[in-house]
Amino acid sequence: MVRFGPWLGYGTLAILALLVVLAWAGGALNWHREPSYVLARHWGEQGHGRGQFNNPTGIAVTADEVFVADAGNSRIQVFDKLGRYKRGFGSTVLGRPMNLAIAGDRLYVPDYFKDVIHVFTLDGEYRRAIEADDGLTSPGGVAVRPDGTLLIADTYGQRVVHLDPAGKRLESWNGRGIGPGAFNYPTDVAVALDGGFYVADGYNDRVLQFSRDGEFVHKWGGPFAMNIHGPFKGWFSVVTSVAVGPDGMVYVADFYNDRIQKFTPWGRFLTAFGTLSQGPAQSHVSVAVDADQTLWTVNSDASRVERWRP
């Protein structure tokens, strides 16, 4: 990724350097505003058998089950919350499943290769594929609103699109750039408690917040959320997943920093935690939140599911 260009003058670079120093100092003195999370359980390994993963990319949870997008194996695997394998499905229709969403008794699966949203029952029965009437281009994430309409992070389409259940486009927020409401490969979307939504703006290294009506509200990540990446609190280096907890807190998978960051609904940093990658891949690519605020992540590098508790 190209981060800086010749248009940056010495004055701009000096300001950025000062911001970096201030961010580092703030992080060193007060990295966590609340206690970090503790790794409580994990399972999985590289492979193609039951309970093994090949480049897992997404996760979602119900009251008693964990659903994992096993992208490299083109399937969904389901476990109980102790990590015991229960079932697998989707290999006959899935290409590359990405960030998952559950609404009611349905599992929604964006397919990065097939440019559709697949819909399954939670038991694994295939229902249908939702195709946008104007087409999707490598969708990375989906969220379902209470009215049944879908918000889709259309990654290579450089937009977030709002569809009805039949695939009719109701609204679209698009345009590549770093300004308010613009995107640079958005990867995921999550519905806020107030009816608005958050977008994981992947290669802009930030999160965007929109109102219920789709008006831009706020952005955060690095200085002025202007596509400046880094390891400091509240900064990102490629955002790959976003989730909202039952109390409205926002959890973000900060992929190249090997961590999950937690924020208030308005983007104030609260804590960060994660498992360092051993390479060559990165670790935390997707995050889901349980009703009791337990966190679930998929670790792409280690090919495993991780459970985190406050």
Side-chain angles (χ1 to χ4, degrees):
M1 292 177 290
V2 177
R3 301 291 180 172
F4 301 99
W7 51 270
L8 282 176
Y10 289 113
T12 303
L13 289 173
I15 292 171
L16 291 176
L18 177 60
L19 288 169
V20 167
V21 170
L22 291 174
W24 180 88
L29 294 174
N30 186 22
W31 179 255
H32 300 110
R33 294 181 182 271
E34 65 176 37
S36 187
Y37 282 59
V38 176
L39 181 61
R41 181 180 295 273
H42 62 81
W43 68 83
E45 61 183 3
Q46 175 68 32
H48 308 286
R50 292 184 174 184
Q52 297 179 321
F53 305 105
N54 181 15
N55 188 215
T57 51
I59 191 164
V61 296
T62 64
D64 53 8
E65 293 185 325
V66 180
F67 293 72
V68 181
D70 187 8
N73 288 322
S74 300
R75 65 185 178 183
I76 304 298
Q77 293 196 71
V78 186
F79 304 85
D80 69 16
K81 291 189 172 177
L82 296 177
R84 293 176 295 211
Y85 177 87
K86 297 188 70 173
R87 61 189 176 277
F89 56 87
S91 59
T92 60
V93 295
L94 294 174
R96 183 175 176 80
M98 300 298 289
N99 284 300
L100 305 176
I102 292 174
D105 60 353
R106 295 290 185 266
L107 175 72
Y108 294 80
V109 185
D111 196 320
Y112 195 78
F113 287 165
K114 296 190 175 182
D115 299 329
V116 301
I117 307 299
H118 299 286
V119 184
F120 296 85
T121 68
L122 298 186
D123 290 331
E125 295 180 9
Y126 190 67
R127 286 294 182 244
R128 61 197 175 101
I130 300 175
E131 302 182 46
D133 55 10
D134 61 347
L136 297 173
T137 310
S138 298
V142 62
V144 183
R145 283 183 151 176
D147 63 1
T149 61
L150 281 66
L151 293 165
I152 300 167
D154 192 20
T155 304
Y156 271 78
Q158 303 291 355
R159 66 176 182 166
V160 171
V161 60
H162 186 199
L163 301 182
D164 73 9
K168 179 182 178 181
R169 181 170 61 88
L170 303 174
E171 195 166 0
S172 181
W173 301 267
N174 57 289
R176 189 173 182 183
I178 62 173
F183 306 108
N184 188 12
Y185 298 100
T187 56
D188 198 13
V189 60
V191 176
L193 298 190
D194 65 0
F197 58 96
Y198 299 95
V199 178
D201 191 11
Y203 283 85
N204 268 337
D205 308 308
R206 66 185 184 180
V207 174
L208 299 178
Q209 181 182 8
F210 293 83
S211 72
R212 179 193 301 268
D213 297 325
E215 297 295 323
F216 170 78
V217 175
H218 182 52
K219 56 187 170 70
W220 72 86
F224 311 111
M226 289 180 59
N227 190 22
I228 300 172
H229 67 128
F232 315 112
K233 64 182 183 182
W235 295 37
F236 304 108
S237 187
V238 181
V239 180
T240 51
S241 177
V242 60
V244 175
D247 57 356
M249 299 299 108
V250 181
Y251 300 83
V252 182
D254 184 11
F255 189 54
Y256 280 96
N257 283 325
D258 291 325
R259 67 185 179 184
I260 303 297
Q261 294 198 67
K262 179 181 179 181
F263 301 88
T264 67
W266 290 94
R268 183 171 64 87
F269 173 84
L270 294 175
T271 192
F273 53 93
T275 303
L276 289 178
S277 168
Q278 301 303 308
Q282 305 307 128
S283 59
H284 303 292
V285 68
S286 187
V287 59
V289 192
D290 224 327
D292 64 358
Q293 301 186 46
T294 296
L295 293 190
W296 300 86
T297 67
V298 283
N299 184 322
S300 178
D301 173 53
S303 297
R304 71 186 192 185
V305 174
E306 297 180 350
R307 176 186 177 188
W308 299 81
R309 58 176 177 80

